[in-house]
Each structure stands twice: as structure tokens, then as C-alpha cells.
């Protein structure tokens, strides 16, 4: 029999700028505290673009939910979870994370950026639309076509530096502030390392590895925690 209880939600901002501003908010919850069939409701109540439930602090098993659906792999939740797990006592310098979408490697560099290296095949299938100028990206008020329900609009600022905005109504996300999975797909598309300036001022870095995998990284900060009511596992 299950019962409702108060659950701690650690709140991170992933892919901040160098001063710790902006970034995409993320809820991180100990999976042992929330019943599997209650996690989607909890993610919807919290309203972050993603909430991640860590089911194995040593094994790296975890699950990722948007407000509307569970997804097998995503960028900013995995970077955020890696930031926390790398700070666990005795944590290795290289983590193996195991979301449903496949093995993801994670580490921190000398500049305190946390990186993940992930498979491309199980990422969300972003539509990538190049616009003519950063100004066109700035002027967007939403998707320009009805079928762009999971779309990343981008333009070159200069070689290797992109202006990006992402809209994801398919996942019940109006606009995503910083999107690691789109960054992974963009670096694979252009086949070069890129710096991404997204949303109101978030900063992402991405590098292609080979045809099936790529890396994305950035800075993470922690905000004040929240609490949410959830059902305990039976």
C-alpha cells in the first residue's frame, strides 16, 4: 500500500553563463522516494522542462520526464544529474549514466564544466531549422509552422558560434531555455565543435565524436530546493 509524503526536490540550473546566470531549471529527485506510476504527475506539477529521478546513485540508473511525457534521453537533465553525482563522496572522475536511451559517459573538466557523451539515436528527433541571421532567431515568438512541434531554430553568429532557440509543444514545453539534446544534434549536423547561445542567456558547448555519438557540456549551479507531495513506492 502506498501513501503520500513530502519529497525533496533539488533544483539546478544547467548551462548557465560564466557568471552563473540563466540556465535551464531542472528538478532532481531520489527515485527511491516516488512510485514509478506517480513520476509523470510529479514532473507535471513541478513544471520544469525536465525532472530527473535517480534510481541508482552507484549504477547511474535514472529516468527523465517532461511535464507531458517520459523521454529516453535528454541533455540538460543528464548534465545536471552528473553534476550532482560527481559530488558524491568517493565518486569516480568518469561516470556511467544509464537512462533508458543508452549508456552516457559524464565528467567535469578543468573549467568546472560538466560534460556528457551520448548516443544520438535515442535523442528526441528535433527538427533543425537554419535561419539567415541571429536577429531572425531573436524575433521568433514560437514555432513558425504547426508541424514544428519539436524544433530548434539556429543561425551563425560567427564561425563556430550559434544563436539558438528551441520550442517543444510536443513535450508540453513552450520554449526551452537550454537544450542539450538539440546541441548534440546541431554539432553532429555541422560536424564541428560549437558554442551555443540559447534562450535568455544560456551557454552550451558541444562537440561531435563520430557518426553515432556527440558531447555537450556547460556550467551548473544549484538553487534553493523545493518540496512536492508524492506517492511512496509500494
Amino acid at each position: 500500500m502506498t501513501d503520500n509524503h513530502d519529497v525533496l526536490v533539488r533544483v539546478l540550473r544547467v548551462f548557465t553563463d560564466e557568471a552563473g546566470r540563466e540556465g535551464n531549471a531542472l528538478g532532481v529527485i531520489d527515485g527511491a522516494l516516488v512510485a514509478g506510476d506517480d513520476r509523470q504527475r510529479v514532473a507535471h506539477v513541478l513544471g520544469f522542462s525536465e525532472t530527473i529521478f535517480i534510481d541508482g546513485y552507484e549504477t547511474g540508473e535514472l529516468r527523465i520526464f517532461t511535464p507531458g511525457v517520459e523521454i529516453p534521453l535528454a541533455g540538460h537533465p543528464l548534465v545536471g544529474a552528473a553534476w550532482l553525482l560527481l559530488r558524491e563522496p568517493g565518486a569516480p572522475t568518469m561516470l556511467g549514466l544509464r537512462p533508458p536511451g543508452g549508456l552516457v559517459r559524464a565528467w567535469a573538466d578543468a573549467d568546472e564544466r560538466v560534460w556528457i557523451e551520448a548516443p544520438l539515436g535515442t535523442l528526441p528527433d528535433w527538427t533543425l531549422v537554419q535561419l539567415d541571421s541571429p536577429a531572425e532567431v531573436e524575433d521568433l515568438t514560437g514555432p513558425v509552422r504547426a508541424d514544428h512541434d519539436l524544433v530548434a531554430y539556429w543561425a551563425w553568429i560567427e564561425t563556430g558560434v550559434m544563436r539558438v532557440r528551441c520550442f517543444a509543444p510536443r513535450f508540453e514545453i513552450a520554449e526551452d531555455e537550454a537544450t542539450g539534446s538539440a546541441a548534440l544534434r546541431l554539432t553532429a549536423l555541422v560536424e564541428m565543435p560549437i558554442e551555443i547561445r540559447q534562450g535568455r542567456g544560456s551557454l552550451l558547448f558541444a562537440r561531435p565524436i563520430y557518426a553515432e555519438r556527440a558531447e555537450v557540456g556547460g556550467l551548473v549551479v544549484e538553487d534553493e530546493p523545493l518540496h512536492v507531495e508524492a506517492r511512496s513506492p509500494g
Side-chain angles (χ1 to χ4, degrees), residues 15-198:
F15 302 127
T16 71
D17 68 10
E18 300 291 347
R21 296 170 299 208
E22 302 303 341
N24 198 357
L26 170 71
V28 184
I29 299 176
D30 185 340
L33 302 178
V34 182
D37 61 359
D38 197 33
R39 295 181 180 186
Q40 185 65 74
R41 183 196 64 82
V42 168
H44 183 81
V45 168
L46 289 171
F48 298 125
S49 58
E50 279 108 358
T51 298
I52 192 163
F53 296 83
I54 300 178
D55 290 318
Y57 282 81
E58 294 184 357
T59 64
E61 293 177 78
L62 39 81
R63 292 170 63 188
I64 304 164
F65 293 80
T66 78
V69 297
E70 181 176 7
I71 54 178
L73 198 69
H76 107 274
L78 292 172
V79 170
W83 184 86
L84 284 178
L85 292 173
L86 286 165
R87 284 159 174 73
E88 287 285 301
T93 56
M94 177 71 72
L95 295 178
L97 304 179
R98 292 171 174 81
L103 177 64
V104 173
R105 298 178 182 87
W107 67 97
D109 66 16
D111 297 316
E112 300 186 346
R113 294 175 186 150
V114 174
W115 290 83
I116 62 167
E117 183 243 302
L120 300 174
T122 53
L123 291 173
D125 58 338
W126 292 94
T127 298
L128 307 177
V129 179
Q130 184 178 6
L131 301 181
D132 291 334
S133 69
E136 286 189 59
V137 179
E138 296 283 354
D139 289 344
L140 292 168
T141 57
V144 300
R145 288 173 32 174
D147 61 340
H148 285 179
D149 64 342
L150 192 67
V151 60
Y153 298 107
W154 67 278
W156 290 115
I157 297 172
E158 59 186 81
T159 302
V161 182
M162 290 181 177
R163 178 70 173 108
V164 177
R165 290 176 67 190
C166 294
F167 302 91
R170 185 190 307 176
F171 292 160
E172 298 187 17
I173 303 166
E175 180 172 1
D176 206 24
E177 171 60 28
T179 313
S181 57
L184 290 164
R185 291 210 176 275
L186 284 165
T187 196
L189 174 72
V190 300
E191 299 181 319
M192 63 184 295
I194 53 175
E195 174 183 318
I196 290 175
R197 300 173 188 177
Q198 188 177 339

